[in-house]
Amino acid sequence: MKRRVELKLNGDDISGAVRVPASEDVIAPMSTETLEELRKKHPPEHQDAHFPSKECFGPPSPPVITEELMSAVSSIPCDSAGGPDGLRPRHLKDLLVGLRDPMSLQLAQALADLVGLMLDGKVPEDVCPALYGASLIALLKKTGGIRPIAVGNTRKIVSKRVMEATGKLIRPQQLGYGTRGGAEAAVHSTRAFLSGQTGCQTLLKLDFRNAFNSVHRDRLLEEAQKFLPEIYPFIFQMYRSPKNLIYGEHVIPSARGVQQGDPLGPLLFCLLTRNLSKSLQSPFNVWYLDDATLGGDFELVLLPNKLHARK
């Protein structure tokens, strides 16, 4: 624990250092049982999938300039884990941030050009399974089972481009992406709802099982094409075909859902559940990613939502 706190402090992540002593995250032992659980968590794509065409790509995205790249690298906590390439944010910062020698500037430009290719969906197909793959970590859940976390190669610059605009799209029901302090807002709004009730009211807490790994990617790409046209080529290349998840010496194909650990994963999940969250009739309707809290009269909370879930 001391080492983890020191890493947070060395990376100027004060809030992260404070959270470490209270964290209950435990890495699952690397065993045959854990491997089988991870495979179950990553099912194959459903057989009736109908993916959008690659020809739906729009005009090229604005070029990535080195200043944008440097800003994205600077915003990543230093102690963040590295992906399959082993390159941690600390390595990138040491190579780029604050340096102005010719080699550092040349590296920054090369990385900016690579990100530009990724945004335009022009990465060679043979490279995609590795570039868009991830290292897989299994965390033990307090309620039993495991939670897979995929640590990919750095993609945060793409997430930063769309976070603010997309947050407006999915609010007010969804506070899990693009809303600063969304978790706190969800908690305080729930508390305010409960304290303001005088009669008999129902509060329903919903949590989807294996939510991120269960969504259908053809639907995911349809929503991305509709709401995120500026980065749709990138999302298409990343999620159109299976990608490699590396767990020790094993490779698990990621063919369904969004990777937990992908900076864009929460955004894509929120887009997929947007219509559902906005269609529920409960007077109180707040979501934080795959956790939904509904409140109001029994008839409005349970009965219409139960019928909706059966459809």
Side-chain angles (χ1 to χ4, degrees):
M1 180 183 295
K2 178 181 177 182
R3 175 61 176 165
R4 292 172 61 193
V5 172
E6 289 176 345
L7 287 173
K8 295 287 185 182
L9 293 175
N10 290 337
D12 297 326
D13 185 5
I14 306 300
S15 60
V18 173
R19 288 195 300 268
V20 167
S23 174
E24 298 181 356
D25 289 340
V26 178
I27 297 179
M30 188 170 289
S31 63
T32 303
E33 291 75 14
T34 301
L35 177 62
E36 289 305 312
E37 284 295 316
L38 287 172
R39 285 174 172 159
K40 292 178 183 178
K41 291 281 187 179
H42 296 87
E45 185 55 78
H46 65 110
Q47 296 180 351
D48 298 328
H50 297 285
F51 289 94
S53 170
K54 186 176 181 179
E55 282 68 33
C56 298
F57 288 4
S61 60
V64 179
I65 59 177
T66 55
E67 288 77 7
E68 183 181 6
L69 177 80
M70 303 281 270
S71 175
V73 171
S74 299
S75 67
I76 306 174
C78 289
D79 66 329
S80 296
D85 58 6
L87 196 63
R88 299 169 64 96
R90 166 63 76 182
H91 298 145
L92 288 176
K93 289 187 177 185
D94 289 344
L95 290 169
L96 297 174
V97 178
L99 300 179
R100 288 294 181 267
D101 61 275
M103 292 297 293
S104 296
L105 295 176
Q106 185 177 354
L107 174 60
Q109 185 59 58
L111 289 174
D113 293 342
L114 172 61
V115 174
L117 287 176
M118 295 166 66
L119 286 169
D120 291 337
K122 294 182 178 179
V123 175
E125 294 294 333
D126 293 343
V127 179
C128 288
L131 181 62
Y132 296 129
S135 299
L136 202 56
I137 299 173
L139 298 180
L140 293 174
K141 300 172 66 174
K142 292 187 295 183
T143 55
I146 62 171
R147 175 181 291 108
I149 301 296
V151 184
N153 302 310
T154 302
R155 311 166 192 146
K156 192 169 184 178
I157 188 172
V158 181
S159 179
K160 288 189 66 175
R161 279 193 168 191
V162 299
M163 178 177 287
E164 182 176 353
T166 312
K168 297 177 182 178
L169 176 68
I170 58 181
R171 285 192 294 265
Q173 290 83 9
Q174 178 61 261
L175 303 176
Y177 188 90
T179 300
R180 187 179 297 275
E184 291 82 357
V187 171
H188 289 306
S189 59
T190 303
R191 184 178 299 162
F193 170 78
L194 291 174
S195 62
Q197 303 306 313
T198 56
C200 181
Q201 297 286 294
T202 298
L203 190 72
L204 177 64
K205 184 73 167 59
L206 301 175
D207 186 7
F208 293 85
R209 182 172 57 187
N210 198 28
F212 276 49
N213 291 323
S214 299
V215 298
H216 293 175
R217 289 189 175 177
D218 53 344
R219 290 291 311 281
L220 179 154
L221 291 177
E222 289 174 3
E223 296 300 305
Q225 183 183 2
K226 186 188 308 181
F227 294 108
L228 302 171
E230 67 275 21
I231 61 168
Y232 173 68
F234 167 77
I235 298 173
F236 183 92
Q237 276 210 319
M238 182 171 176
Y239 283 111
R240 171 59 182 86
S241 57
K243 301 301 183 289
N244 297 334
L245 300 179
I246 311 299
Y247 183 68
E249 299 179 351
H250 304 277
V251 177
I252 300 175
S254 173
R256 185 187 295 193
V258 295
Q259 295 178 10
Q260 294 193 57
D262 175 15
L264 285 176
L267 163 60
L268 298 174
F269 179 82
C270 290
L271 284 180
L272 278 169
T273 56
R274 175 176 177 269
N275 289 337
L276 173 61
S277 65
K278 291 183 177 296
S279 66
L280 299 178
Q281 303 176 31
S282 303
F284 183 78
N285 179 12
V286 173
W287 291 57
Y288 191 84
L289 299 179
D290 58 338
D291 293 317
T293 305
L294 309 176
D297 292 335
F298 175 83
E299 292 78 8
L300 289 176
V301 173
L302 293 183
L303 298 184
N305 297 330
K306 186 175 181 180
L307 293 174
H308 187 98
R310 289 177 176 175
K311 293 181 180 180

